[in-house]
Amino acid sequence: MKGQLREIIEKYDPEILWFDGNWMNWWTHQDALDMYRYVRTLKPSILINNRVGTKQIMVGDYGTPEQTIPATGLDYAWESCMTLNGTWGYSKYDNNWKSTATVVDKLVDVASKGGNYLLNIGPDALGRIPEQTTKVFTEVGEWLEVNGESIYETD
């Protein structure tokens, strides 16, 4: 994994490294600290999410609650990770799309609590962004053109 991380950082120079996976059954707190320190030696300024850590002990620069918005926010940097429908990525069988009003409501809720709203989408098998995704994003963009001051650079 370290070799792959080195390649990603050296070749693509990302600003954020977002760990994810189902390694929690064997990954230890010491493994997490080691990986966090390793990545920091490659690029000291990179942001690393808390999923490099374990469920018991957070390691990383910010938290990533999934499919939820903390009732009062968190006392550290965080982003709510949510889907635009019911599945992560693309599923031709999932047509349970969130409405523009729901996405705006969640965006306002997250921003008002000092968080970031990470909304997961995925292209279909041909690399196309689903029409419903484009529709919602266009409408949210139109809302932000008028109301963006209430979102951008909030605490």
Side-chain angles (χ1 to χ4, degrees):
M1 186 170 17
K2 286 182 177 178
Q4 291 172 327
L5 287 168
R6 176 180 289 282
E7 178 182 352
I8 289 168
I9 291 168
E10 290 176 353
K11 189 171 183 178
Y12 301 103
D13 193 30
E15 297 299 317
I16 297 174
L17 193 56
W18 211 94
F19 283 85
D20 199 14
N22 192 16
W23 52 28
M24 298 304 174
N25 294 332
W26 57 270
W27 192 252
T28 68
H29 181 63
Q30 192 56 47
D31 292 330
L33 290 173
D34 178 56
M35 189 60 65
Y36 183 84
R37 290 177 187 136
Y38 175 75
V39 170
R40 281 272 178 251
T41 64
L42 298 174
K43 184 174 181 180
S45 64
I46 198 166
L47 291 175
I48 304 167
N49 74 336
N50 67 320
R51 294 183 186 204
V52 71
T54 64
K55 288 182 181 178
Q56 294 77 25
I57 302 173
M58 184 172 142
V59 174
D61 301 315
Y62 63 99
T64 56
E66 191 168 294
Q67 298 287 40
T68 187
I69 300 170
T72 58
L74 298 171
D75 61 356
Y76 50 85
W78 61 279
E79 66 184 1
S80 279
C81 312
M82 296 189 173
T83 57
L84 191 55
N85 52 17
T87 55
W88 296 102
Y90 175 78
S91 170
K92 66 181 178 180
Y93 304 108
D94 185 356
N95 292 305
N96 187 27
W97 298 99
K98 289 179 176 70
S99 69
T100 300
T102 297
V103 172
V104 167
D105 183 59
K106 290 180 183 303
L107 174 62
V108 169
D109 191 17
V110 169
S112 74
K113 295 172 181 169
N116 182 57
Y117 187 29
L118 177 65
L119 193 55
N120 177 269
I121 66 162
D124 67 16
L126 298 175
R128 299 173 300 202
I129 300 299
E131 185 178 319
Q132 186 63 25
T133 298
T134 303
K135 176 185 178 296
V136 169
F137 280 8
T138 298
E139 291 171 355
V140 171
E142 290 168 355
W143 184 90
L144 283 167
E145 284 181 15
V146 175
N147 303 288
E149 184 178 349
S150 68
I151 301 297
Y152 297 117
E153 299 187 38
T154 58
D155 290 331

